[in-house]
Amino acid sequence: MKKATLTILASLLLSSSASAATKLVFSFWGDPAEAPPFLEIVKNFNAAHPDIQVEYQQTPWSGYWTKLDAQLAAKAGPDVMFITNVPTYASRTQLERLDSYIAKDKFPIADYNPEFLATHKYKGGLYSIPRDNDTMVLYYNKDAFDAAKVAYPTDKWKWADLRAAALKLTQRSGSRVSRYGLILENNKWPTFVYQNGGKVFDDPFNPTKFMLNDPKGVQAIQFLGDLITKDKVAPAFQEMAQIGDSTQLFSSGQAAMVMTNAARLTTFKSAPFKWAVAPLPTGPGGLRANTVGGAGFGMNANSQHKAEAWTFLQYLAGEQGQIIFAKAGGAVPAMNRDKAVAAAFNVPFKSVFLAESDRQGVYPNFAGYVQITNTMLNPALDTVWNGESTAKAALDRIAPDVNKMLK
């Protein structure tokens, strides 16, 4: 009888403890294949912290920001979130500044690449801890190259080599394209501008002048537009909404090359053909550039459980979480000065990813960039991508208004 009573009491205590646990919500985006490391982190943390229980919300990239923006505007939303465009959210006082938390608990922020950290700051304060660098590489279908008798990409490739290969690899049936030579991603155009020695703004963090309409910027944008509308070796971005995104088109064999990041390694494992990875081609003058910066983890400034949210954020963004992400191979780790994290990143073509992570190319990263992009840049660039306008005409047309917004 005594033993039964003790068992009942123990069950009640466990039940009471579970119900008394602080509940946090963690949101992230991604394809289904990208979810496992996030879920492993949540599972491990919950097991180690019975007093804090984390629930997760996974949303595809296409719907993530609409949902998050609505939640944050209502002073609600997740306690901890996967985030990018940090200055935009920090300027709206929607993200908690993390410097005091880092100092108090001696979080090893020095183990992060300082260039990556810079893209997560606003007015000198750190509002997000980076998970990764959004390093791009050139994935290519070896079987398609072999069949077309095209030499594999090398670190000597320039834009002209990329275009020549894409022309040979594109397959057509009448006016219909059955396989594109190349897939582009519509938010990666700044890399081409940097490869050509151009700039989008005079300063990516504190801009005073729009510079994309300078000759080097115009040349880069026109090169991309011509691949889509003149050479027809890459699908228009609007068309991809119907036929599939870059991941789907490459993994199904409907594209021979794609420029994208390490997150695709997991998905492409199941592709029914041999593929490999090469460095990005250089601009005409031999200049290399890539993406500097990536997504990170921030805390909701309106969270009702900031102490607990910081406890989870330390685990998520610290060595334990970074090792899990590094082992999954879905991102080049931002905590790359930590030896255990660096050792855990043991993916195919590791040397290419690490080399490309050292390239220049900080994307615009200031509070008004999202508004400028949505209201001016994207509509202007769309006219180039669909052949309605030349790059020069489109960019000259918006330059005065962009400069007014900067002021």
Side-chain angles (χ1 to χ4, degrees):
M1 182 69 180
K2 184 176 181 181
K3 184 177 180 180
T5 302
L6 288 173
T7 301
I8 293 170
L9 285 172
S11 299
L12 289 172
L13 285 171
L14 285 171
S15 175
S16 175
S17 175
S19 62
T22 300
K23 288 182 170 51
L24 300 178
V25 176
F26 167 47
S27 69
F28 60 92
W29 70 79
D31 298 331
E34 298 175 58
F38 289 96
L39 305 189
E40 182 180 349
I41 288 169
V42 169
K43 179 182 177 181
N44 291 353
F45 179 85
N46 285 345
H49 297 80
D51 57 325
I52 306 172
Q53 293 297 289
V54 177
E55 300 172 354
Y56 67 88
Q57 298 174 349
Q58 180 183 7
T59 307
W61 169 269
S62 58
Y64 184 82
W65 301 104
T66 302
K67 179 179 179 179
L68 182 64
D69 287 348
Q71 291 174 324
L72 295 180
K75 297 189 182 301
D79 299 279
V80 176
M81 66 199 83
F82 202 24
I83 195 77
T84 187
N85 297 319
V86 170
T88 297
Y89 293 92
S91 68
R92 298 173 185 166
T93 67
Q94 294 172 333
L95 291 177
E96 181 82 357
R97 183 167 174 164
L98 301 176
D99 301 81
S100 61
Y101 295 88
I102 289 168
K104 178 177 177 292
D105 289 333
K106 297 181 180 179
F107 182 82
I109 203 69
D111 288 339
Y112 289 79
N113 184 317
E115 289 186 334
F116 301 169
L117 288 173
T119 64
H120 293 261
K121 291 183 177 181
Y122 175 67
K123 292 187 175 180
L126 188 69
Y127 287 84
S128 170
I129 300 176
R131 180 196 72 160
D132 60 85
N133 188 62
D134 190 26
T135 305
M136 289 201 299
V137 295
L138 180 64
Y139 292 84
Y140 61 97
N141 181 330
K142 296 178 73 174
D143 291 351
F145 272 72
D146 292 343
K149 294 182 170 53
V150 177
Y152 297 154
T154 71
D155 60 0
K156 306 298 183 186
W157 266 29
K158 296 183 178 181
W159 287 359
D161 300 295
L162 178 73
R163 177 176 178 267
L167 285 166
K168 292 178 181 177
L169 290 160
T170 299
Q171 293 183 338
R172 308 179 196 278
S173 178
S175 60
R176 178 178 171 273
V177 176
S178 56
R179 184 182 71 204
Y180 285 98
L182 176 67
I183 293 293
L184 302 166
E185 295 188 334
N186 67 351
N187 61 338
K188 300 301 184 184
W189 55 263
T191 297
F192 287 85
V193 175
Y194 299 151
Q195 288 172 346
N196 203 36
K199 294 182 177 181
V200 183
F201 300 94
D202 56 344
D203 185 318
F205 299 110
N206 299 291
T208 62
K209 184 181 179 182
F210 180 63
M211 297 186 68
L212 187 58
N213 62 325
D214 283 0
K216 291 180 179 179
V218 168
Q219 183 184 15
I221 297 301
Q222 192 62 58
F223 173 72
L224 296 178
D226 287 348
L227 289 175
I228 297 169
T229 62
K230 182 180 176 182
D231 298 328
K232 300 185 186 303
V233 297
F237 301 122
Q238 298 93 326
E239 182 184 357
M240 289 170 66
Q242 279 74 48
I243 65 175
D245 61 19
S246 59
T247 306
Q248 295 167 326
L249 291 173
F250 182 78
S251 59
S252 65
Q254 296 178 74
M257 295 182 287
V258 62
M259 291 183 180
T260 189
N261 58 28
R264 304 297 176 258
L265 284 169
T266 304
T267 305
F268 293 164
K269 280 181 181 178
S270 58
F273 51 82
K274 295 177 183 177
W275 56 269
V277 158
L280 294 188
T282 70
L287 186 62
R288 295 194 177 280
N290 209 300
T291 307
V292 173
F297 300 111
M299 186 196 307
N300 191 334
N302 290 301
S303 171
Q304 300 301 304
H305 308 288
K306 290 180 181 178
E308 293 85 353
W310 170 243
T311 299
F312 175 60
L313 185 52
Q314 285 187 86
Y315 182 88
L316 173 68
E319 184 182 73
Q320 291 168 297
Q322 280 275 291
I323 286 174
I324 291 172
F325 283 121
K327 284 182 177 179
V332 178
M335 200 181 192
N336 58 359
R337 296 183 176 184
D338 180 290
K339 292 181 180 179
V341 174
F345 184 65
N346 190 25
V347 299
F349 314 104
K350 174 180 178 177
S351 61
V352 178
F353 282 102
L354 293 180
E356 286 295 301
S357 293
D358 286 335
R359 312 297 186 202
Q360 64 174 354
V362 178
Y363 276 31
N365 199 66
F366 57 93
Y369 181 60
V370 172
Q371 183 182 3
I372 288 174
T373 297
N374 291 340
T375 61
M376 295 188 188
L377 269 174
N378 281 346
L381 291 173
D382 282 344
T383 67
V384 181
W385 310 148
N386 62 27
E388 292 178 15
S389 174
T390 64
K392 179 171 174 51
L395 297 172
D396 280 346
R397 188 164 55 247
I398 65 169
D401 290 331
V402 173
N403 282 321
K404 283 181 184 178
M405 288 190 70
L406 293 177
K407 293 178 180 178

